[in-house]
Amino acid sequence: VEACSIAVVGATGAVGRVFLDVLEERNFPVSDIRLCASERSVGKKLKCMGEEIAVEMATPQLFSEVDFVFISASGDVSRALAPVAAKQGAVVIDDSSAFRMEPNVPLVVPEVNGKDVEDHRGIISIPNCSTTPLVMVLKPLMEVNPVRRVIADTYQSVSGTGAAAVEELRVQSKQLTNDDSLTHHDLTPHAYPHPIAFNALPHIEPFLENGYTNEEMKMVNETRKILHAPDIAVSATCVRVPVMLSHSEALHIEFENPISPGEVREILADFPGVKVVDDPLANVYPMPIEAAGRDEYSSGASDRMYRIPTASQCGS
């Protein structure tokens, strides 16, 4: 594979740092790498591919000198920089929600709808972290048995919010365990509206008028777009849990025709990027501490594994 030049916007952030680690782990063919972040980080050096690379400001000139631009920053940053980079001839891979639902921007999970990349016009979007495992499970099953509806419950780690939230969980946990006189009411949360240590928050992103959160509606709308299934019924409840790394999901899938758990296991086991972990009588099932750090598929910085539903959960 021919080496390419890339720029990483948001290189100093939590996702950006994981991206740099993945580049090195996979020995990605890079001829030149440019690291970009906010003005306060300019000049800071990050280690990548065995080199110390200084952080720069993202500029049109820089974008004109690279083949790909990976943006792992806020939606505002993506909206400001992605069109500029695309205009300069670079292909933008955007990790924010800024362009996901734009009709002319492919929203891609490579194993699920990789061919959609061919229709890009300079910008390619990466789906929300909770959407990716959902479509990875649904895609191979839908090819065998039409899916009527899906109820998804997520248990999302604090890493999805960023490094500050990870540190907040660590600090709050220490405070509560080291001082018996403290209660949750004595803690001052910053990353979330309530303390996250030893707690669960059914509140990821703002609530909307329909009663769902923005995170939950992302799962609905993005799933429909990725699977090219505008009529599939999806309902999601997204919960932030006091776990450092790795999101988990429970999926309740209703199929058009009867299907056994054994068939589901076989279908998922044959799908690239999915690892079946399902022997509950032997206490073997997916857990965040086992999934974190693994790379079962190529489309996300956070890793997930899936438990096959029981017969009663599969529907008929």
Side-chain angles (χ1 to χ4, degrees), residues 12 15 43 57 60 63-64 72 80 95 98 111-112 123 131 138 148 164 171 212 225 273 283 299 315:
T12 59
V15 177
M57 285 290 291
F63 292 147
S64 71
S72 296
D95 193 31
E111 298 88 344
V112 175
I123 301 174
T131 302
L138 289 180
R148 289 179 177 174
V171 169
Y212 286 91
K225 180 175 180 178
N283 299 323
S299 56

Side-chain angles (χ1 to χ4, degrees), residues 176-221:
L176 291 174
T177 54
N178 292 337
D179 188 344
D180 291 339
S181 67
L182 286 180
T183 70
H184 282 84
H185 299 293
D186 298 314
L187 303 179
T188 302
H190 299 287
Y192 304 112
H194 305 281
I196 185 62
F198 311 111
N199 198 12
L201 306 178
H203 182 183
I204 302 179
E205 297 206 8
F207 278 94
L208 306 175
E209 290 185 2
N210 64 1
Y212 286 91
T213 63
N214 193 46
E215 178 85 357
E216 291 159 354
M217 290 311 301
K218 284 179 184 177
M219 292 189 71
V220 174
N221 296 323

Side-chain angles (χ1 to χ4, degrees), residues 1-6 23 26-32 49 67:
V1 179
E2 185 177 346
C4 58
S5 57
I6 67 173
L23 275 182
R26 297 185 180 179
N27 197 26
F28 191 81
V30 177
S31 60
D32 182 43
M49 310 291 282
D67 301 310

Side-chain angles (χ1 to χ4, degrees), residues 137-138 141 145-151 250-268 278 307-316:
V137 167
L138 289 180
L141 297 175
N145 194 338
V147 171
R148 289 179 177 174
R149 64 176 178 172
V150 183
I151 298 174
L251 306 180
H252 305 261
I253 305 170
E254 181 180 343
F255 295 92
E256 190 72 33
N257 303 303
I259 188 170
S260 70
E263 291 175 275
V264 173
R265 289 188 188 93
E266 291 180 7
I267 293 167
L268 291 182
D278 188 43
R307 182 175 187 273
I308 310 307
T310 63
S312 63
Q313 292 170 321
C314 280
S316 60

Side-chain angles (χ1 to χ4, degrees), residues 109-113 132-133 135-141 143 265-276 295-299 304 306:
V109 175
E111 298 88 344
V112 175
N113 64 328
T132 302
V135 298
M136 288 281 287
V137 167
L138 289 180
K139 173 64 174 178
L141 297 175
E143 291 180 345
R265 289 188 188 93
E266 291 180 7
I267 293 167
L268 291 182
D270 288 339
F271 192 68
V274 174
K275 180 178 179 65
V276 174
D295 187 25
E296 303 303 332
Y297 61 91
S298 61
S299 56
R304 298 94 172 171
Y306 316 97

